[in-house]
Amino acid sequence: TGLPGGYRDNDTGGYEDVSVTGSFWTSTELHTSASYQWSLYHDWEGASGSGWHKTHGYSVRCVKDRVNVIHVPEDYSTIQEGINASSDGDTILVETGTYTENINFNGKNIVVTSLEGANSTIIDGNQAGSVVTFNNGENSTAELSRLTIQNGYGSGMEGYDNRGGGIFCMGSDPVLTDLIISNNSALLGAGIACENSSTPTINNTEIISNTII
């Protein structure tokens, strides 16, 4: 994907056609002082080419156009390690198995999902706290999907103790899709606790057999 960066004129030194054309050099020389270039246009599906003096400056500003996929456990042995290594827009793809850990998205707007679905891919909190925590302003591009979330004990956070056995949301708006949230416990929100105006989007999710203590 390219954004039209225009070009630098060799006579004036100024920048022309910014946001209009994206121009780049080819490897074809016309002669020692000129080469062939191609231009792409923001409002036309074609391209044009011509010869220009080499003192012109051409460039295309490139942007990221594919999702970076981090595989667990192939790339990182735990889901949390994958999250720690990720950037916004990345996907953490989890292989079949049971992962005994408690994870925190840490403000990253990423997707954590499984290859085979919730029936065969489990995050087990081992009663060590909330299984999954969103408490750093994650928005609706943060997604947790296709996983079983089980055996958590609501840890919450200071001022919101013992909340969210399975999932704890604090000032965040993640998307929760195709989950099984089961056999978790907490004082409040044994399956999911939403605090401080959190508004998660919940799709096709089972919240079953969780216990208020």
Side-chain angles (χ1 to χ4, degrees):
T1 300
L3 298 177
Y7 66 94
R8 181 180 55 79
D9 188 272
N10 69 310
D11 293 321
T12 68
Y15 291 87
E16 307 292 338
D17 289 347
V18 175
S19 299
V20 176
T21 64
S23 300
F24 54 94
W25 292 115
T26 73
S27 60
T28 303
E29 282 191 337
L30 296 180
H31 47 76
T32 56
S33 61
S35 288
Y36 206 71
Q37 60 85 29
W38 282 97
S39 293
L40 305 176
Y41 299 83
H42 80 289
D43 57 355
W44 180 50
E45 63 183 6
S48 67
S50 59
W52 284 91
H53 200 278
K54 290 181 180 179
T55 54
H56 278 296
Y58 292 124
S59 69
V60 174
R61 293 178 293 170
C62 294
V63 296
K64 184 178 181 180
D65 64 354
R66 67 180 181 87
V67 173
N68 181 42
V69 178
I70 295 172
H71 296 267
V72 174
E74 181 180 345
D75 297 326
Y76 294 93
S77 61
T78 70
I79 299 169
Q80 188 63 58
E81 287 175 333
I83 292 172
N84 294 345
S86 70
S87 300
D88 285 354
D90 288 351
T91 292
I92 312 297
L93 186 60
V94 184
E95 298 284 344
T96 298
T98 298
Y99 299 81
T100 303
E101 55 181 305
N102 307 81
I103 68 172
N104 192 318
F105 271 55
N106 290 326
K108 295 185 178 182
N109 293 309
I110 58 175
V111 174
V112 176
T113 190
S114 74
L115 185 64
E116 297 293 339
N119 288 320
S120 58
T121 316
I122 300 163
I123 308 179
D124 188 305
N126 198 34
Q127 290 288 299
S130 302
V131 184
V132 183
T133 298
F134 300 90
N135 66 348
N136 286 281
E138 295 87 353
N139 63 33
S140 59
T141 62
E143 177 184 315
L144 182 73
S145 61
R146 295 170 54 82
L147 294 158
T148 289
I149 307 300
Q150 70 177 33
N151 199 24
Y153 178 84
S155 51
M157 58 186 296
E158 185 177 354
Y160 299 87
D161 298 329
N162 304 121
R163 305 184 190 193
I167 299 174
F168 178 72
C169 296
M170 180 72 174
S172 56
D173 305 313
V175 173
L176 310 174
T177 299
D178 297 326
L179 301 173
I180 300 172
I181 303 171
S182 65
N183 298 303
N184 301 285
S185 59
L187 181 65
L188 293 170
I192 304 175
C194 301
E195 303 290 350
N196 194 26
S197 301
S198 293
T199 54
T201 299
I202 303 174
N203 303 309
N204 194 34
T205 290
E206 295 182 63
I207 306 173
I208 55 175
S209 302
N210 299 286
T211 304
I212 296 296
I213 56 173

